[in-house]
Amino acid sequence: MRLLSLLLTVSLTLALAYYIYIPLPDAIQQPWKLMILDAYLRTAFHVASLKQWLGFDHHTRSFRQFTFGFEGILKEFLSTESSAGAVPGVKVSDISFAGIPVRVYEPPAGGEGHLRRGLMYFHGGGWALGTTKKGPYDITNRMVSDELNTVVVSVEYRLYPDVHFPVPYLDCLAAAKHFLSPEVLAKYSIDPDRVAVAGDSAGGNLAAAVAQEISVDDSMSVKFSVQALIYPVLQALDFNTPSYLQNQYIPVLYRTSMIQFWLQYLNIDLSLMPEFLVNNHSALQHSSLTPELRSRLDWNVLLTQKYKKNYKPVIVEKGSEGFLKKVPGLLDVRAVPLLAGPEVLAKCPRAYILTCEHDVLRDDGLMYARRLQDAGVAVTSDHYEDGFHGCFSLTSWPLEFDVGKKALRGYLSWLQNNL
């Protein structure tokens, strides 16, 4: 009996280890911690999918609840005075800007007699997950507000499956225009020459798109002075860039997961994923995807050899007939900021772009940095050789990664010196 129990224990342990273990590059530090996080997320996804199959709720809403629950646990760990999340004195208000829910963080220093910095933040999560009110985003925004004497406005834009593009973008744009109005800036004692827009992942997409629109809007008397993009997702026409192929199995953002986020955002049938995996949706036969547009995301030109490595462009002659006409969002700069013309990019604010070597979105950020620089915009590229997607938000125990703390400190330092 004892032998049977021992064999059962060993078998379960091996099965658990097999489920958790995934091969990771040697450069990624604390690999088992990342594997455990990935196993949790995979399990949550499978359970959410099962709930949808049983008819309980949409899998995205269920998965969102799992992540909220996990962030709630983290909040309990971070609720003590000694935790990184406790920032005494920061005033937090949940209000709305132009009808869009926002959370405003006001620094303890106050605004009496002097002007402060302002920053609008759009959270990540594939336009489907995430909230500014819990977990890492709340912690980071409190830190920015306190350390940099900044009024931070974090936007709760609407998410999939309730909405699709362009609703999240329009929510963020409406909130941004309200924030930049002279009346609101004066109310919060914000210097109109020191206002930033920032975001990570899908939030970086929204921040880049909103920054572009504000930059060319002559009706706006105040515009963003800088933009900070954390591993932004910026294009949906080439899912065979070197970083998409190199990192397709690296957590926490797999290549197929990012494609699924795009399909959901643009309201495309998920069964078409195989077409996107092989770039059929951007085949040469599509006349609307002109050579000029293709050049704006030609990684063979925009990336250095260090990042191109030995990868070759995947160019399809004939793909899905009429696809781009059916899904115009694929060519809409509001969804795909990397496609913006040089005349638009030239008007954009100075930029900080953070990229990670082990991230499918690495090349999106690197190409955008190059295109902004070519248009005459000052760009700071902050690349982390040991970084992976999501590390910027993993800075607090028990999900504390050294590279995440470095990335967060780099972001704060750049804002301190440039905003």
Side-chain angles (χ1 to χ4, degrees), residues 99-125:
I100 310 301
V102 300
R103 172 165 282 197
V104 179
Y105 302 81
E106 297 179 66
E112 301 80 9
H114 64 278
L115 296 178
R116 306 177 289 192
R117 297 178 175 97
L119 182 144
M120 175 159 277
Y121 196 90
F122 305 134
H123 69 80

Side-chain angles (χ1 to χ4, degrees), residues 354-367:
L354 184 152
T355 54
C356 294
E357 179 63 23
H358 307 290
D359 179 7
V360 294
L361 300 180
R362 180 198 69 193
D363 296 343
D364 283 26
L366 293 175
M367 288 191 287

Side-chain angles (χ1 to χ4, degrees), residues 49-69:
S49 298
L50 176 61
K51 288 182 66 177
Q52 175 172 297
W53 183 76
L54 293 173
F56 288 111
D57 200 359
H58 192 282
H59 69 86
T60 299
R61 293 193 188 94
S62 296
F63 186 76
R64 197 183 300 155
Q65 291 305 314
F66 276 107
T67 58
F68 286 175

